[in-house]
Amino acid sequence: MALVLWLVVLRPLPVPWVYDTNLTPLASLRSSTGWQVLGELLLLAPLGVLLPLAGGRLRAPWLPSFLRTTGASALLATGLEFLSSWTPGHVLNVDHILLAVIGVAITHLALVPGLRRLLRDWRPRVRVPAPGAAPAPKVTTLVGPPVARARAYAEPTPPAR
């Protein structure tokens, strides 16, 4: 209860020189410049590549991967926009959330299938010596004396004589 009261007290008061909250999709695009829209599209765009590749699954189907990535980015963009609305002078704008998620979706569709295919097909190449070249030296490893393995607790101990 004290936390809610503390958050309500710290919420900036509406002032006449700051716009009201924009909850209408794509309503503020008319007053935005192209650079602002491009900046909003690129804000979370790296997540479109980083989120699907973070799991390390190279054979994931594209549609579930796309839906997971856009869903996670929508949650993150909403949380960031809500948290940034607590700073004085910044109002909640649903267009920022939409443009960030669209940027993540475009990045994912443009790059992830090709990157996954590239990583799947990449294999370390084995060098074949050219005809007449000297053979590669053999690498030998030194093996020490056998080490007695430690007994596990479940093994029975031999009877004493």
Side-chain angles (χ1 to χ4, degrees):
M1 182 67 183
L3 178 65
V4 173
L5 183 61
W6 180 68
L7 290 175
V8 170
V9 169
L10 290 181
R11 179 95 172 140
L13 296 173
V15 288
W17 60 85
V18 176
Y19 292 112
D20 198 14
T21 307
N22 176 26
L23 297 178
T24 307
L26 307 177
S28 67
L29 289 183
R30 279 181 249 143
S31 62
S32 298
T33 64
W35 290 110
Q36 289 172 336
V37 172
L38 184 65
E40 290 294 331
L41 284 172
L42 295 177
L43 184 66
L44 296 179
L47 292 179
V49 175
L50 296 176
L51 285 177
L53 296 181
R57 294 175 40 193
L58 296 178
R59 300 204 182 275
W62 74 272
L63 184 61
S65 173
F66 175 74
L67 294 176
R68 275 192 308 266
T69 303
T70 54
S73 67
L75 290 173
L76 184 65
T78 304
L80 288 174
E81 186 67 22
F82 180 73
L83 287 176
S84 67
S85 72
W86 287 85
T87 60
H90 184 86
V91 293
L92 186 94
N93 191 349
V94 74
D95 293 342
H96 295 170
I97 298 168
L98 288 175
L99 289 174
V101 173
I102 289 170
V104 169
I106 290 171
T107 305
H108 184 278
L109 290 176
L111 296 177
V112 170
L115 284 174
R116 280 187 172 152
R117 186 175 302 114
L118 182 71
L119 289 172
R120 265 195 319 261
D121 295 342
W122 181 78
R123 290 184 181 89
R125 296 182 182 181
V126 178
R127 290 190 175 189
V128 177
K138 291 186 179 181
V139 178
T140 58
T141 58
L142 299 176
V143 179
V147 178
R149 68 178 183 94
R151 290 187 174 187
Y153 290 109
E155 291 181 9
T157 56
R161 293 186 182 204

